[in-house]
Amino acid sequence: MTGANLLPGCGRTKAIAVLAALSLSACTMTVVEAPAAPTAPAAAAVPSVPMGQQWLYGSAEGAISIRQTYAQLTSYALAKAKARPADSVIIDEATGKPFACGNKPLAAVFDADETLIWNIGPMRWFALTGSEFDAKTWDQWEKTGTGKAAAMPGALEAMAALRAAGITPIANTNRSATNAAGSEQTLAAAGLGEFKHGETLFLMGDDATGSSKDQRRATIASRWCVVAMAGDQLGDFRNAFNKPEAPPLARRTMATAAPFDGLWGNGWFLFANPVYGPSIRGGFDDIFPPETRWEPQDQQGAR
Amino acid sequence: MTGANLLPGCGRTKAIAVLAALSLSACTMTVVEAPAAPTAPAAAAVPSVPMGQQWLYGSAEGAISIRQTYAQLTSYALAKAKARPADSVIIDEATGKPFACGNKPLAAVFDADETLIWNIGPMRWFALTGSEFDAKTWDQWEKTGTGKAAAMPGALEAMAALRAAGITPIANTNRSATNAAGSEQTLAAAGLGEFKHGETLFLMGDDATGSSKDQRRATIASRWCVVAMAGDQLGDFRNAFNKPEAPPLARRTMATAAPFDGLWGNGWFLFANPVYGPSIRGGFDDIFPPETRWEPQDQQGAR
């Protein structure tokens, strides 16, 4: 037993605080001010790997969860492709209805970070150095990370199966358009095949709407019949869902209300990411509904 | 913005360390000695909700991930029921082959904790009080938690759909046989329907093999044709996978090797749980493969 590894260290606290505030996929990169909180002695020699990263990047369970979602997506997309659907799974925000498929070629749209690839290079760096997320380091990662990002479990098999069925994988990511070459090379080096900027790779800066992916989705849907869409953050599906400032329960209610409830696992596929993003927030009253409050009988009233 | 909520506090460190070492589903309840690590001042007034709990219990993304898996399981089980399979999805550990279905009635086997229900009562208590997991509190929870555990997102719909298709949901959990009444009532009060000890509810203590679920699975498979099996920990599928002491990569390789690789999402369904269990462990060298090491160019050699 390496018991020490089970103990999340306090040295990483700051790094997590800011990673939690960052959505790589659909947020502006807001660095949240960490309040003056109890901090560990600076001398903490060896930081620990954050729990979310242990589960997602390291564990059997994390890998299986990702594989399952890839299998679910692939099976859904292949069945849809056979039947040639009338509608894309992308919603036209102007009308609230899905874009029409017409005779467009088939495609599946993926976020990149923590959807096609795991960014274990910079995540290790931030955790190891106890440093906060910073845009400059991330920019370097987009430029120089080729060969250091890992295709997510099941992603290679999914890309192969989709392409064999005539479905083109497309990436729609908030990586920067100025680093297009780096991201093309990173995806290719991970074994995921060709993603070409402007054709099958859409980046932040491609249009004037910043981190919202809606307009890029509309551009994609004007050219392709999109049979499946995947991401790890709500903004990968609709920018209207991307309200990191909303209380967790309100976000959850919004994203799982009709008619969207029927789309999850059924055209829209979300990959588990307990590592960063607007999903990682909330105090006790947000996370634990009052009706489920419980305390051990011998300690009642202790709090 | 409630920035303070984004900052995981150090006050919870100990609680997590021990929760991480605990598999509610298939481990002995080993309390790992936490090494003397940097601790926060005891005066930390308001602890924070651990990241994994924020994601799983509170976020839209966590709920959607769970719902997707329930939809995937239901769809698989209903298709299987129509075709009446020859084999259960439970492996006979004596032969290495699946148990035969014969003319047995159809069933789906679920772990209980973090598979059918979320244990937000005691999880909140441990986090709020900065206390460690302890068997005594957990025992009280099994006895008195009725009405305070929440059915997981999509679980009610899944139970209804399975029962309507003639598939009986069965729970196989490491809750204690001595608390059978409490667990029956907890599952019923969460809206999940009837689970009856010895018939559709199997507990630790039902046989002489302790926390291993293999013999209980064999008992279930002798009476039922099991078309789907679900859990949040590897031990919910085969006890041979339940090696918390193995390095994370070895566990992952073991659980995803042939012939088991084909079962995930295809008879076996794993629910995301980045909150506790043997999946939450590993140091930097376990979680980040050497070939993916990267550092920003301007800081190379800094570590």
Side-chain angles (χ1 to χ4, degrees), chain A residues 147-212:
Chain A
K148 302 296 181 183
M152 276 165 48
L156 302 189
E157 296 85 342
M159 296 305 118
L162 293 172
R163 289 186 175 114
I167 303 166
T168 300
I170 292 176
N172 183 10
T173 160
N174 278 342
R175 287 170 165 242
S176 168
T178 55
N179 296 331
S183 292
E184 285 179 350
Q185 288 157 17
T186 294
L187 293 167
L192 291 156
E194 189 188 64
F195 290 85
K196 199 164 175 336
H197 185 208
E199 297 180 14
T200 52
L201 175 62
F202 293 81
L203 298 162
M204 184 155 67
D206 282 353
D207 58 40
T209 60
S211 64
S212 167

Side-chain angles (χ1 to χ4, degrees), chain A residues 3-303:
Chain A
N5 290 336
L6 293 166
L7 189 75
C10 290
R12 67 187 171 77
T13 301
K14 273 205 210 160
I16 293 174
V18 181
L19 282 168
L22 160 78
S23 166
L24 292 175
S25 61
C27 286
T28 51
M29 293 191 181
T30 308
V31 174
V32 173
E33 289 173 75
T39 49
V46 181
S48 300
V49 180
M51 287 176 74
Q53 300 198 30
Q54 290 176 317
W55 183 83
L56 185 65
Y57 299 143
S59 79
E61 289 85 347
I64 288 165
S65 165
I66 300 295
R67 267 184 194 282
Q68 273 182 191
T69 304
Y70 262 118
Q72 187 177 21
L73 180 154
T74 303
S75 153
Y76 178 90
L78 265 54
K80 274 287 157 185
K82 261 188 207 165
R84 252 215 91 80
D87 294 332
S88 268
V89 295
I90 294 182
I91 293 171
D92 181 348
E93 296 296 332
T95 66
K97 292 181 182 165
F99 286 100
C101 270
N103 292 320
K104 297 165 201 167
L106 300 171
V109 174
F110 296 85
D111 175 40
D113 297 310
E114 274 56 43
T115 296
L116 289 170
I117 52 171
W118 275 343
N119 290 293
I120 44 188
M123 292 303 163
R124 171 182 163 278
W125 175 256
F126 291 136
L128 191 65
T129 57
S131 59
E132 302 189 355
F133 172 88
D134 70 278
K136 192 181 157 208
T137 298
W138 189 263
D139 183 68
Q140 286 193 43
W141 170 244
E142 291 188 5
K143 288 182 165 76
T144 69
T146 298
K148 302 296 181 183
M152 276 165 48
L156 302 189
E157 296 85 342
M159 296 305 118
L162 293 172
R163 289 186 175 114
I167 303 166
T168 300
I170 292 176
N172 183 10
T173 160
N174 278 342
R175 287 170 165 242
S176 168
T178 55
N179 296 331
S183 292
E184 285 179 350
Q185 288 157 17
T186 294
L187 293 167
L192 291 156
E194 189 188 64
F195 290 85
K196 199 164 175 336
H197 185 208
E199 297 180 14
T200 52
L201 175 62
F202 293 81
L203 298 162
M204 184 155 67
D206 282 353
D207 58 40
T209 60
S211 64
S212 167
K213 295 181 170 183
D214 279 349
Q215 192 165 317
R216 282 176 262 155
R217 274 189 281 267
T219 301
I220 294 166
S222 72
R223 303 180 197 168
W224 303 85
C225 168
V226 180
V227 295
M229 188 152 60
D232 62 318
Q233 310 282 344
L234 295 183
D236 293 327
F237 302 91
R238 290 186 73 208
N239 200 54
F241 292 154
N242 187 31
K243 300 195 186 303
E245 74 286 2
L249 186 59
R251 281 180 81 240
R252 186 156 98 178
T253 303
M254 173 180 63
T256 56
F260 311 112
D261 55 342
L263 282 163
W264 299 112
N266 203 26
W268 291 0
F269 300 88
L270 184 132
F271 288 98
N273 177 6
V275 172
Y276 62 78
S279 59
I280 317 289
R281 62 188 295 271
F284 281 90
D285 291 344
D286 297 310
I287 305 301
F288 304 101
E291 66 273 19
T292 59
R293 276 183 201 159
W294 174 88
E295 25 190 81
Q297 287 178 315
D298 57 355
Q299 295 176 68
Q300 270 168 14
R303 298 250 350 163

